[in-house]
Amino acid sequence: MTTNSKRTARGRTLIAAAASITAAVSTALAGCASPVLDDAPGPSGVVVGAGAGTDGELLAHLYAGALRRTGIDVTVRDPGDRAGALAALDSAEVTLVPGYTGRLLRYFEPAAPQTDAEDVFTALGRALPTDLTVADYATAQDRAVLVLSDATSTALGVTDIDAIAGRCAELTVAATAAFTESGGLDALASVGCVPAAVEQVGDAEAVRAARGRGALGALTTASPALVGADVVALADAPDRSPGEGETGEDTRAPVFPAQNVVPLFRRDVFGERQLDALSMIAGELTTADLAGMLGRVDAGEDSAAVADEWLGEHV
């Protein structure tokens, strides 16, 4: 399966060392192990915590469904919000909480400066308590993004964040809660973008403000409001590819912190089959997939059913 090969090639799973040790011991005992031992059951009583919002619920059902497909019993619990979910994870009331790399890093290390996807992931691993770990992150992310109408982009002569920084004083920023939570406003301030005004709005209104009155729409990339929207997304510096080494002085890091989907879970709970299931999501889930599913849930579909349909198409 391409997902498993990707997991091996990327080599970014923080529990990889433990998994390698387990594999080595299994190999050494293979000559005397019984078929029953070779097919050892996975963990029991796994609880996936759903964070706040539609995305927290959807991601919880995605990871729960993937884990169930390994033959274990999994339930989804709603601890109320992200802080409640992480507190439940810390107290072992839940086993796994899905989240986004940048927001989790900001939770555990509020002053962390990293923005590149690999740097954020590495910093997150270092910031976690010793009893927690993460598996590979997905390409799917909910990263801050700025959008303009085509007319405004042309009039200002801007197509990227570097160019807009010097023109912010001319613009009103229509920002969503997710944009603010993902560190978007702080990131803009760090590059000297001080807008004429900041309005807190919903996703659809942010797009309408950009299209209808020349505002700078400030959303996140998995917002369903951006699907098919006639707006120009301002380019940010790209994340470096895995294996390129840490972002240095000669490599400009993105302005907005990476926000890749990632599972955070209690260490030493899952076996190889469960880790492969987590890696399947890392290898298959895209931002377009996430935005599309969120749009369906927002339109009234059941999040568990939407997640199960996606899993049926990708597992």
Side-chain angles (χ1 to χ4, degrees):
M1 180 186 293
T2 57
T3 301
N4 291 341
S5 63
K6 177 177 179 179
R7 177 169 175 255
T8 302
R10 289 168 76 185
R12 293 185 287 98
T13 307
L14 298 182
I15 42 78
S20 298
I21 293 172
T22 300
V25 172
S26 299
T27 301
L29 296 177
C32 59
S34 70
V36 174
L37 292 178
D38 288 344
D39 193 24
S44 60
V46 169
V47 180
V48 176
T54 302
D55 58 337
E57 182 179 318
L58 175 69
L59 290 173
H61 283 295
L62 273 176
Y63 280 103
L67 291 170
R68 284 193 196 100
R69 281 165 164 75
T70 70
I72 64 174
D73 180 41
V74 185
T75 58
V76 174
R77 173 184 164 189
D78 181 6
D81 56 19
R82 184 178 60 183
L86 293 175
L89 183 65
D90 182 61
S91 63
E93 296 174 46
V94 303
T95 316
L96 180 150
V97 173
Y100 302 103
T101 52
R103 293 174 207 177
L104 287 171
L105 176 59
R106 200 173 188 185
Y107 179 87
F108 288 105
E109 190 177 335
Q114 292 84 0
T115 59
D116 176 86
E118 289 287 308
D119 292 341
V120 168
F121 181 77
T122 300
L124 174 60
R126 292 170 180 162
L128 292 176
T130 56
D131 55 348
L132 300 181
T133 190
V134 288
D136 284 344
Y137 62 77
T139 57
Q141 61 173 318
D142 194 35
R143 194 177 205 152
V145 63
L146 298 175
V147 299
L148 289 170
S149 68
D150 185 66
T152 304
S153 174
T154 300
L156 295 178
V158 297
T159 57
D160 57 42
I161 294 177
D162 283 346
I164 200 66
R167 310 298 297 270
C168 285
E170 306 170 40
L171 298 167
T172 292
V173 171
T176 65
F179 180 87
T180 303
E181 183 185 6
S182 67
L185 291 176
D186 292 339
L188 288 180
S190 74
V191 295
C193 176
V194 181
V198 176
E199 301 172 354
Q200 292 294 327
V201 299
D203 289 47
E205 176 56 32
V207 172
R208 285 196 294 268
R211 294 183 58 190
R213 52 189 177 92
L216 189 59
L219 302 89
T220 50
T221 52
S223 170
L226 291 174
V227 177
D230 184 18
V231 290
V232 176
L234 299 183
D236 199 352
D239 293 311
R240 75 181 195 277
S241 299
E244 283 187 14
E246 294 191 10
T247 304
E249 294 181 0
D250 297 332
T251 305
R252 190 168 66 86
V255 171
F256 294 129
Q259 302 290 350
N260 297 81
V261 172
V262 70
L264 173 66
F265 53 96
R266 296 195 63 79
R267 190 181 295 275
D268 300 327
V269 170
F270 296 126
E272 190 67 20
R273 291 184 67 190
Q274 288 75 49
L275 298 178
D276 283 344
L278 301 181
S279 288
M280 180 279 299
I281 293 179
E284 298 290 337
L285 184 64
T286 67
T287 301
D289 289 343
L290 181 57
M293 287 189 286
L294 289 174
R296 291 173 59 186
V297 176
D298 284 345
E301 293 189 50
D302 179 70
S303 58
V306 171
D308 192 63
E309 180 180 323
W310 184 89
L311 289 167
E313 294 171 352
H314 293 268
V315 175

